[in-house]
Amino acid sequence: MSMREIKLCLLGDSGVGKSSLVVRFVNDKFTANLESTIGASFMSKTLVVNDTSYKFQIWDTAGQEKYRGLAPMYYRGAAAAIVVYDVTREASFQTLKDWIRELKQYGSDNIVLAIAGNKCDLEDLREVSTRTALEYAEENNAIFCETSAKTAHNVSQIFTLITQRLPSES
Ligand code: GDP
């Protein structure tokens, strides 16, 4: 079985659920009061897809969203990024463009981009329609999933979809 190491960056406004998604993916847990200080700043998890073992090194801003000066180091060598918004907070969807712009500025040209509409378990509070987000993802050639760190809906799925878009190793 071949093994690949994938650096992946998580982006998105504070509170959209980035740390919760990482904890769900890595530990298969959900904690309603995850403290931002404990928020995963660096975690790794191996996923096996089609006889290849992908070791994800996941970089989370862990509440450092404001320290934009860290960006170049944060993005260096990243093969993939997940940009997260909260389906119950329209403003977090509107800022996706800023995160994607920053990613294009500092990230590599062939970085695999995924967009996660998180908290899809909160259907009654939804502010962003699936269709609007899907169209936006298509315009940006991005993978798109609505996820829930709470119920685990589509969490490992989005990572699996990313592995399928990675350029084959030369
Ligand atoms: P971050 O600042 O982007 O890392 O966001 P956090 O992971 O700290 O999550 C912010 C808040 O949203 C916390 O209170 C989480 O418990 C909550 N949260 C995160 N993901 C979900 C989800 O999928 N569903 C629900 N209902 N709450 C979530």
Side-chain angles (χ1 to χ4, degrees):
M1 180 152 67
S2 60
M3 215 279 265
R4 295 180 66 177
E5 285 204 4
I6 307 297
K7 177 176 170 181
L8 179 143
C9 295
L10 275 171
L11 311 171
D13 289 359
S14 182
V16 297
K18 298 182 296 301
S19 299
S20 298
L21 284 169
V22 184
V23 170
R24 170 59 77 188
F25 179 58
V26 173
N27 298 329
D28 201 17
K29 279 192 194 138
F30 178 75
T31 315
N33 298 308
L34 197 68
E35 291 194 28
S36 55
T37 45
I38 315 174
S41 52
F42 185 88
M43 287 180 100
S44 97
K45 157 104 175 174
T46 299
L47 190 68
V48 176
V49 183
N50 296 332
D51 243 32
T52 301
S53 167
Y54 296 89
K55 185 175 183 187
F56 281 100
Q57 310 282 9
I58 304 167
W59 292 48
D60 182 353
T61 54
Q64 308 289 297
E65 289 88 349
K66 297 287 177 274
Y67 300 101
R68 307 313 320 163
L70 295 174
M73 182 199 112
Y74 187 68
Y75 296 110
R76 191 170 302 138
I82 304 178
V83 191
V84 185
Y85 69 95
D86 175 346
V87 300
T88 72
R89 196 147 52 94
E90 166 79 24
S92 71
F93 179 72
Q94 294 304 330
T95 50
L96 284 183
K97 63 179 186 312
D98 303 317
W99 293 108
I100 291 173
R101 187 187 309 122
E102 182 174 289
L103 186 66
K104 298 244 153 87
Q105 185 180 352
Y106 297 111
S108 81
D109 291 340
N110 57 356
I111 195 162
V112 174
L113 174 63
I115 295 174
N118 192 42
K119 310 195 189 182
C120 72
D121 57 288
L122 300 175
E123 188 56 41
D124 294 349
L125 300 174
R126 177 189 286 274
E127 291 184 357
V128 183
S129 77
T130 305
R131 185 180 166 168
T132 302
L134 185 59
E135 282 172 5
Y136 183 73
E138 282 170 359
E139 281 165 26
N140 284 278
N141 192 29
I143 292 161
F144 172 67
C145 286
E146 288 190 338
T147 59
S148 169
K150 186 172 182 180
T151 68
H153 182 72
N154 274 343
V155 177
S156 44
Q157 171 72 356
I158 199 163
F159 286 88
T160 302
L161 291 172
I162 287 168
T163 66
Q164 292 165 352
R165 280 245 197 141
L166 290 166
S168 51
E169 271 181 316
S170 44

